[in-house]
Amino acid sequence: MSALAQSSRRILVVAADENFSGTIGRILCRCGYRTDQVASGEAALEALEQNTYDLVLSEVALPGVCGLTLLCRARQHGRKSPFILLGAPETERRRWIVSGVEGVHCLPLPLDVDRLKQVVAECLES
C-alpha cells in the first residue's frame, strides 16, 4: 500500500488508558495512518456515528460499554469496518466468528507491535 493510500486510512483507537492509546496512536501515525483516540466504548459509539473509520482497534475490557458490545452495536448499525480486539482470548474470537461477525481479529495483551502493524495492514488491504 502506498504512503498516500495509508495516509487516507482512518483508525479509531479505543483504550481506557490514555498512555496506551497514545502509544498505539503514535505507532500507527508513524506507519502513515490517521488516528482518533477515545477512552470508552460510549465515546467510541459517538465517534462511529459522527465519522467513517477504515478500522476500529479496541480493548475488550473497557469501562461501561466493553469492546465486544461496541463491536456488536457497530455491526447492528451497519458499520462494516474491520475490528481488532485487544486482549480477547482466542475462544472469544471463535465465538464471534461462529455467530457470523466477520472482519474481527484478536490480539493478546501485552501487545506485540510488529504483529499489530501486520494485522492492521492486512485488515486495510481487504
Side-chain angles (χ1 to χ4, degrees), residues 63-119:
V65 174
C66 74
L68 296 173
T69 302
L70 171 62
L71 167 63
C72 190
R73 288 189 186 169
R75 292 298 192 255
Q76 287 172 346
H77 289 96
R79 304 289 189 262
K80 304 283 186 199
S81 302
F83 264 71
I84 298 174
L85 295 172
L86 303 177
E90 187 64 24
T91 55
E92 286 294 331
R93 181 172 188 257
R94 287 189 189 118
R95 186 176 74 124
W96 283 104
I97 290 171
V98 169
S99 69
V101 178
E102 295 183 19
V104 179
H105 299 271
C106 297
L107 293 175
L109 294 174
L111 195 56
D112 177 326
V113 173
D114 291 330
R115 180 73 178 130
L116 171 67
K117 291 176 186 178
Q118 177 186 9
V119 173

Side-chain angles (χ1 to χ4, degrees), residues 51-69:
N51 303 291
T52 301
Y53 292 97
D54 298 295
L55 174 68
V56 178
L57 191 144
S58 176
E59 287 184 296
V60 172
L62 294 168
V65 174
C66 74
L68 296 173
T69 302

Side-chain angles (χ1 to χ4, degrees), residues 22-41:
T23 299
I24 291 173
R26 284 188 296 280
I27 290 166
L28 295 173
C29 285
R30 285 185 194 127
C31 293
Y33 304 110
R34 294 183 305 145
T35 64
D36 291 337
Q37 299 155 28
V38 296
S40 70

